[in-house]
Amino acid sequence: MSGVPKIKQLQETAAGTLAIDWNAVEQIAGFQAHDHLKDYYSRILGSKNRYGEISGRIKFDAAAFVKRYVSQEDWQDNWLANANGERDHAQFSLNLLTQTDVCYVADYLQEAFHGAWTGGNDFGNRAYLGEILINIGDISLVFNNDTGEFEWVDFGYGYYDVYTENPYGIIADDTQEFLDKFIVVR
């Protein structure tokens, strides 16, 4: 199945559709997952590849994609729009679970929060969800487990060790709002 039906399926499937024993997952993982993260992962399973990735091409308007920018002295509210040039689309990929087994989900969350994507740096309680690819390159999509917000960050300039110095913003305050940002281009 291509990315087009999967993103629509992800958007339209209710949270909690997948039976996941979150209490057991949290006990094994050693932390409590935010309800918005549970909402995101409990809708559908991804493809049977390593990360359960779904991907495709979406309409991209930075003003509509970014809900709000986080206060940064060096960055203007239009930075992300300028970074995509004249393009009105972006490629995306989102990582999903491929099974609901408690041990698998706990391991998956450990990787999402502390895996290779961090480069060994501390990003607080943030999980890697996927990315969008715009003119300047990959923009990472992360979930903040403390606030329940879906964020974006550009690691291209190497500020891995001090997350608050990265140009980033909030995409959405909840899961459905986040998913609704992905308007597929056919």
Side-chain angles (χ1 to χ4, degrees):
M1 185 180 287
S2 72
V4 174
K6 280 285 195 176
I7 189 66
K8 197 132 199 75
Q9 184 183 7
L10 183 61
Q11 292 165 328
E12 294 173 355
T13 301
T17 298
L18 298 175
I20 298 172
D21 183 348
W22 287 107
N23 289 330
V25 167
E26 291 168 338
Q27 187 173 10
I28 293 169
F31 64 91
Q32 185 173 0
H34 193 283
D35 286 344
H36 295 165
L37 190 69
K38 295 174 190 178
D39 179 341
Y40 177 78
Y41 285 121
S42 68
R43 292 169 178 246
I44 66 170
L45 293 176
S47 304
K48 294 293 183 185
N49 62 27
R50 181 174 176 199
Y51 298 109
E53 182 180 283
I54 61 173
S55 60
R57 199 170 93 154
I58 57 169
K59 293 180 184 178
F60 185 76
D61 172 8
F65 193 76
V66 177
K67 182 168 189 161
R68 65 188 170 276
Y69 283 79
V70 175
S71 179
Q72 298 284 340
E73 292 178 24
D74 297 340
W75 300 96
Q76 301 293 324
D77 284 353
N78 62 357
W79 179 85
L80 195 59
N82 291 341
N84 203 31
E86 299 294 319
R87 297 182 177 151
D88 62 355
H89 66 277
Q91 298 292 321
F92 79 92
S93 64
L94 294 174
N95 298 335
L96 299 173
L97 302 172
T98 60
Q99 54 183 292
T100 59
D101 173 75
V102 169
C103 289
Y104 167 83
V105 176
D107 288 346
Y108 184 97
L109 290 182
Q110 286 294 338
E111 178 66 25
F113 279 93
H114 307 291
W117 75 274
T118 66
N121 296 293
D122 183 3
F123 290 95
N125 295 318
R126 289 178 172 83
Y128 179 82
L129 299 177
E131 60 192 26
I132 56 172
L133 177 61
I134 61 175
N135 193 40
I136 64 157
D138 295 338
I139 301 293
S140 296
L141 305 174
V142 296
F143 177 79
N144 185 325
N145 201 55
D146 293 333
T147 65
E149 295 170 323
F150 293 82
E151 303 173 346
W152 68 270
V153 64
D154 174 25
F155 294 127
Y157 291 98
Y159 291 110
Y160 285 97
D161 55 341
V162 184
Y163 183 80
T164 57
E165 291 181 5
N166 284 288
Y168 71 101
I170 307 303
I171 299 168
D173 293 324
D174 64 56
T175 307
Q176 194 62 50
E177 181 183 14
F178 173 70
L179 295 174
D180 289 344
K181 300 285 181 150
F182 294 84
I183 301 167
V184 175
V185 174
R186 295 184 194 263

